[in-house]
Structure formats: C-alpha cells, structure tokens
Amino acid sequence: AGGGRLLERIRKWYYNAAGFNKLGLMRDDTLHEDDDVKEALKRLPEHLYNERVFRIKRALDLSLKHQILPKDQWVKYEEDRPYLEPYLKEVIRERHEREAWNRK
C-alpha cells in the first residue's frame, strides 16, 4: 500500500512538472496526431471535440503571450480524464484487425 501511494505521488509530481496543465490542457490534448489519433478525433462527440479545440486555442494564445493560467484554473491531476483514449483504443483495435485480415 505504501509503494502505491509513493507511485501516485510521483505521477502527480510528473503531471505537474510536464506543465501542460498550467495552460489548461489535458493529457489527451498533448497526443501526437498520427493517423490513429486523427481518426479517433473524428469519432469524438461534438461537445468533446469543441472543448478540446477551445483548450488548445487557449493554450496556444497563452504560449504566445508567455503566460500561464491562474493556479485555480490549472487542470488538476485528479480531474484529467482520458476522453480520447476509448476512441483511440477502438481505432487501434480496428487497424490491427484490418492488418491481420490483409495478411491472410
């Protein structure tokens, strides 16, 4: 149990050290947009896609101004949810299935 708490503290520290949350971004906002991620983005519900676009535009604006959000607006580790992950897993599973089918 003690090791689990230590690991969780390290994860939180690393999350904050990465800095993207200080710009209002979530972890899934920072994924490299390869073909799988692009396809997963197409499958996102409109409200999730719009929220992502807003966060990215705000982060770009803040970055250009060399600013960060006030601390009370940072995305907290506990609040960051993998909104894109379920769609991405489905896209990857489908691609692997397609590749396996084409090898036959």
Side-chain angles (χ1 to χ4, degrees):
R5 283 194 302 260
L6 177 62
L7 187 58
E8 190 67 13
R9 287 187 13 220
I10 291 170
R11 285 183 180 141
K12 285 182 183 181
W13 174 85
Y14 184 78
Y15 182 86
N16 287 313
F20 58 83
N21 65 321
K22 297 171 185 166
L23 298 172
L25 294 173
M26 298 178 123
R27 187 179 297 117
D28 282 0
D29 296 335
T30 65
L31 293 175
H32 173 71
E33 289 192 21
D34 60 13
D35 291 337
D36 290 338
V37 172
K38 287 178 184 176
E39 180 59 33
L41 287 171
K42 290 178 188 175
R43 298 179 185 195
L44 271 179
E46 187 176 3
H47 75 281
L48 289 178
Y49 181 78
N50 290 339
E51 290 170 3
R52 173 189 167 89
V53 169
F54 171 79
R55 287 190 302 271
I56 291 172
K57 284 184 177 182
R58 178 178 57 186
L60 287 171
D61 184 54
L62 287 166
S63 182
L64 287 171
K65 295 175 181 176
H66 300 283
Q67 297 176 348
I68 60 172
L69 290 170
K71 191 166 185 168
D72 65 329
Q73 294 181 34
W74 293 2
V75 176
K76 294 171 187 60
Y77 175 81
E78 297 80 14
E79 296 170 354
D80 193 332
R81 65 191 193 292
Y83 67 91
L84 189 60
E85 188 178 318
Y87 300 94
L88 185 56
K89 283 181 178 179
E90 181 181 326
V91 167
I92 292 170
R93 183 189 54 76
E94 289 173 2
R95 180 174 48 80
H96 288 159
E97 198 173 284
R98 210 171 24 257
E99 289 169 353
W101 181 260
N102 290 335
R103 280 194 298 267
K104 290 184 179 182

